[in-house]
């Protein structure tokens, strides 16, 4: 039994004529006859009495008519719900790292909710390695993370933007405003760092190790918001993605230290699995991130 057969049946019943139904549907009369016979064969009943040129529903046909009408009505209703004009709904599960979650996601989430109030966002925070493993297991829709450029044939990357990682401190800190600081001067200060498994913290450790140097922070924590609060209180120096302190630098409470011959950058990346069915909700979030993040860098 096919949907087109149900539609043909309803049209024949409405027109009381195979010929007229064929004209309305754009089929040949023979095609209409074949579809009705196929439907009757599947159901094991006769749906129409054919007496001369007169066509009328049998008792079984009358009973089936309401069923067919309900099926087509429900199908049209579902199509309407899923059409492009329908409102987005359901849940979107996004994996991210702590620094992105605390700095970049709040305004994105607020704007996404304003645009699509019926979509529930679920945010999962972990390291890039864990998040990408979850993506491969189809427990996340999207992963928005910060790391070196990572490529994998299993992922579709829809955003890849460079991000500077800087040494930041209060504008009241003794080194603030000084030019061409040596890296030794900076790492000798009280250091507040993210946990070692944060991608940019690991990059810093590797860069220092290559030069025969090391760093010993007096505080390690996965909460960049906590670190930024301590920086505002002039508690020391930290090494953070520039976007985490951008607002504080703009308002003059924090500053980027000028370190000679020490530049390090990482990459903001948004990916989904290549085998993932890309829902309208995913497309909407991707478009919003691209608009906001790429626009901010223009």
């Amino acid at each position: 039994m096919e949907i087109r057969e149900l539609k043909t049946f309803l049209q024949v019943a409405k027109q009381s004529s195979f010929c007229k139904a064929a004209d309305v549907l754009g089929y040949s009369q023979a095609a209409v006859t074949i579809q009705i016979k196929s439907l009757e064969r599947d159901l094991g009943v006769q749906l129409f009495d054919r007496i001369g040129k007169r066509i009328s529903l049998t008792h079984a046909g009358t009973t089936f008519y309401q069923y067919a009408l309900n099926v087509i009505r429900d199908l049209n209703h579902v199509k309407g719900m899923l059409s492009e004009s329908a409102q987005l709904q359901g849940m979107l599960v996004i994996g991210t790292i702590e620094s992105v979650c605390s700095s970049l996601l709040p305004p994105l989430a607020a704007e996404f909710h304003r645009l699509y109030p019926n979509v529930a966002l679920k945010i999962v925070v972990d390291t890039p390695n864990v998040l990408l493993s979850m993506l491969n297991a189809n427990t996340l829709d999207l992963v928005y993370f910060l790391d070196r450029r990572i490529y994998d044939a299993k992922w579709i990357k829809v955003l890849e933007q460079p991000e500077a990682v800087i040494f930041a401190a209060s504008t009241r800190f003794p080194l603030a405003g000084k030019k061409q600081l040596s890296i030794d001067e900076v790492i000798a200060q009280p250091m507040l760092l993210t946990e070692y498994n944060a991608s940019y913290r690991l990059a810093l450790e590797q860069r220092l190790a290559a030069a025969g140097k090391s760093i010993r922070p007096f505080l390690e924590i996965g909460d960049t918001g906590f670190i930024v609060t301590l920086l505002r209180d002039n508690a020391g120096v930290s090494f953070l993605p520039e976007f985490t302190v951008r607002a504080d630098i703009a308002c003059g409470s924090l500053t980027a230290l000028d370190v000679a011959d020490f530049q390090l950058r990482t990459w903001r990346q948004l990916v989904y699995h290549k085998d993932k069915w890309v829902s309208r909700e995913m497309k909407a979030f991707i478009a919003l991130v691209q608009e906001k993040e790429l626009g901010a860098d223009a």
Side-chain angles (χ1 to χ4, degrees), residues 180-194:
Q180 297 292 291
L181 295 165
S182 71
I183 188 63
D184 290 323
E185 286 180 278
V186 174
I187 64 176
Q189 305 303 313
M191 298 297 299
L192 306 87
L193 296 179
T194 52

Side-chain angles (χ1 to χ4, degrees), residues 117-232:
N118 292 328
V119 180
L121 286 178
K122 180 178 179 181
I123 308 297
V124 177
V125 179
D126 216 309
T127 63
N129 287 341
V130 171
L131 294 172
L132 293 171
S133 293
M134 294 175 70
L135 188 73
N136 290 338
N138 197 32
T139 56
L140 298 175
D141 295 316
L142 294 160
V143 173
Y144 190 15
F145 67 107
L146 196 70
D147 207 333
R148 69 188 188 282
R149 277 174 161 167
I150 296 178
Y151 298 99
D152 193 297
K154 296 188 295 294
W155 309 327
I156 302 295
K157 187 177 291 188
V158 292
L159 179 79
E160 183 180 77
Q161 285 293 104
E163 183 67 48
V165 190
I166 62 173
F167 288 100
S170 167
T171 50
R172 295 175 284 121
F173 196 75
L175 297 183
K178 293 186 176 181
K179 301 297 183 182
Q180 297 292 291
L181 295 165
S182 71
I183 188 63
D184 290 323
E185 286 180 278
V186 174
I187 64 176
Q189 305 303 313
M191 298 297 299
L192 306 87
L193 296 179
T194 52
E195 295 167 322
Y196 186 80
N197 57 11
S199 58
Y200 46 90
R201 162 75 187 278
L202 181 58
L204 172 63
E205 297 275 3
Q206 291 172 338
R207 179 77 172 272
L208 292 174
K213 306 177 189 299
S214 62
I215 190 168
R216 292 186 180 180
F218 83 86
L219 181 140
E220 290 181 291
I221 188 170
D223 187 342
T224 55
F226 187 86
I227 292 175
V228 171
T229 298
L230 289 179
L231 291 180
R232 292 178 190 135

